[in-house]
Amino acid sequence: MSQSEFIIRKPDDWHLHLRDGDMLKAVVGHTSEHFARAIIMPNLVPPVITTAQASEYAKRIKAAVPVGHKFEPLMTLYLTETTDLSDLVAGAESGLIKAVKLYPAGATTNSESGVRNFETIVPILEKMAEIGLPLLVHGEVTDPQVDIFDREAVFIERVLDPVRTKVPELKVVMEHVTTSDGVDYVMSGGDNIGATITTHHLIINRNAYLAGGIKPHYYCLPVAKREEHRLALRKAATSGNAKFFLGTDSAPHPDGAKEAACGCAGIYTSLNTLSCLAHVFEQDGKLENLEAFASLNGPAFYGLKPNDQRVRFTKSETPIAYPDKINVQNDKVTVFDPGFPLFWKHEEISTDTI
């Protein structure tokens, strides 16, 4: 593999927030230009809890995709304690619903309708295990007595491991894993557990938003942790291990909602994620494993084929000028700043030219 040019299969994003309305129209093109598919998060207001709602949302997404882009939204349902099991099964059997998202109530943006009593969802999880439908977990407890930096590790102990013990055949993705505890748990957990890792958690630690003043555009949930955890994520992502795959958790918020007394959690990375990832993998001497992380491991876990399209990465001599912000109606969304110049540009190519 050349250090100035390489080709991989077109990537997918296995954890994405597109929002709705004007925001959806403003951001979807950044994903559809760079990714062939994406797992779409269902935490709208109101949340996407039925197959019919997911179908309508998918139509709105497809209608917003720019002309000439080929993009497939992979739809999910928002798990509640009153989820209609027959509707969930029908949605999965139809091929529309690819996974179900578990939000502990109050854990993150628009999670108020999430689960409080995990015992109530065991029958749903048992049925999901039976039909092979993955459970995607936001892995944090919401107990106010638990320090925010410990909430992922405590979630594994109190919630995730007991659930997997009760329903051992359940296929689980630990979304946006942020700690060495999470990495170690996934590594030791057997073939039916995997994890997504975000672009920004590979790059920032908690100093990014706390040192030298509060920096709201680096604030996300789960929060970035200590440097030792960031390094554990880097090692897992760049290893090529099939259990780990890209889920950007790209989450756009208007600047007015981020730069507030109680600012929203979320970092918008869809626009420059692939350039950032190429930088990270090159920096760690693992460019040969970028395709596994971004293009192969996710489809394999979900039982899907990798994309036929190819993307060529080329290293430029001068930094790429990504915009700092994008316009959304009467506000702006700040684009993730990795803190270093980006030199890797990419373009989709015909398979005939390979």
Side-chain angles (χ1 to χ4, degrees):
M1 178 176 292
S2 168
Q3 293 303 297
S4 61
E5 181 178 308
F6 62 94
I7 295 171
I8 66 172
R9 287 181 182 266
K10 192 170 186 179
D12 300 304
D13 186 346
W14 298 97
H15 184 128
L16 177 68
H17 297 272
L18 286 176
R19 312 306 188 199
D20 213 344
D22 291 326
M23 184 67 81
L24 165 64
K25 294 172 185 176
V27 304
V28 68
H30 297 152
T31 291
S32 61
E33 179 180 2
H34 304 145
F35 298 93
R37 299 170 289 199
I39 285 281
I40 308 300
M41 292 296 104
N43 59 332
L44 303 183
V45 180
V48 179
I49 61 174
T50 70
T51 298
Q53 290 170 336
S55 178
E56 290 303 310
Y57 187 28
K59 291 176 184 177
R60 297 195 297 275
I61 294 170
K62 291 176 181 178
V65 172
V67 174
H69 289 191
K70 295 180 180 179
F71 176 69
E72 181 183 3
L74 306 176
M75 306 309 294
T76 65
L77 293 182
Y78 186 118
L79 183 61
T80 73
E81 294 175 24
T82 58
T83 289
D84 186 324
L85 186 54
S86 61
D87 177 71
L88 183 152
V89 172
E93 290 179 346
S94 73
L96 176 68
I97 304 303
K98 301 299 185 185
V100 174
K101 182 63 183 281
L102 168 62
Y103 291 102
T108 188
T109 303
N110 301 338
S111 63
E112 291 76 13
S113 301
V115 175
R116 287 177 169 83
N117 183 354
F118 293 94
E119 290 293 329
T120 64
I121 63 170
V122 170
I124 299 173
L125 302 182
E126 289 174 339
K127 189 63 177 180
M128 289 172 57
E130 180 184 328
I131 65 176
L133 188 64
L135 177 71
L136 316 182
V137 298
H138 180 107
E140 293 186 290
V141 296
T142 56
D143 183 345
Q145 300 302 312
V146 178
D147 188 287
I148 193 168
F149 292 102
D150 298 328
R151 291 181 177 181
E152 182 169 289
V154 174
F155 179 87
I156 293 171
E157 177 186 351
R158 292 186 185 176
V159 180
L160 184 55
D161 198 55
V163 162
R164 295 185 64 239
T165 299
K166 288 181 180 179
V167 192
E169 300 305 316
L170 181 65
K171 207 167 190 178
V172 175
V173 178
M174 275 196 75
E175 299 276 43
H176 44 50
V177 66
T178 61
T179 63
S180 59
D181 309 81
V183 168
D184 291 344
Y185 184 77
V186 170
M187 290 282 287
S188 63
D191 294 338
N192 63 343
I193 185 168
T196 57
I197 301 177
T198 78
T199 307
H200 52 276
H201 283 116
L202 293 173
I203 294 170
I204 64 171
N205 60 28
R206 64 188 187 177
N207 283 357
Y209 54 93
L210 293 175
I214 299 296
K215 302 179 183 67
H217 296 291
Y218 289 127
Y219 172 61
C220 58
L221 285 172
V223 295
K225 308 297 196 300
R226 290 179 179 272
E227 176 67 0
E228 65 192 74
H229 296 297
R230 186 187 73 87
L231 294 177
L233 298 178
R234 291 270 288 237
K235 184 176 180 181
T238 62
S239 69
N241 188 302
K243 284 176 166 288
F244 301 99
F245 37 97
L246 174 64
T248 66
D249 192 20
S250 183
H253 289 286
D255 280 359
K258 291 287 290 180
E259 299 167 0
C262 185
C264 293
I267 297 176
Y268 186 63
T269 59
S270 292
L271 186 60
N272 59 3
T273 271
L274 294 184
S275 292
C276 289
L277 288 176
H279 178 99
V280 166
F281 277 68
E282 180 187 36
Q283 192 174 50
D284 287 10
K286 297 289 186 178
L287 271 177
E288 70 275 9
N289 290 338
L290 177 58
E291 184 176 45
F293 179 69
S295 312
L296 302 179
N297 295 348
F301 189 88
Y302 277 85
L304 301 172
K305 293 181 179 179
N307 299 306
D308 290 330
Q309 307 100 299
R310 300 301 201 276
V311 173
R312 176 188 286 119
F313 284 77
T314 306
K315 193 171 185 180
S316 63
E317 295 183 357
T318 57
I320 301 167
Y322 286 104
D324 297 330
K325 298 178 184 290
I326 61 171
N327 295 317
V328 181
Q329 214 172 20
N330 297 321
D331 212 327
K332 295 181 182 296
V333 172
T334 294
V335 177
F336 175 62
D337 177 4
F340 46 75
L342 297 171
F343 294 91
W344 285 101
K345 56 186 179 181
H346 43 86
E347 61 178 344
E348 186 170 340
I349 61 173
S350 169
T351 54
D352 295 335
T353 66
I354 299 174

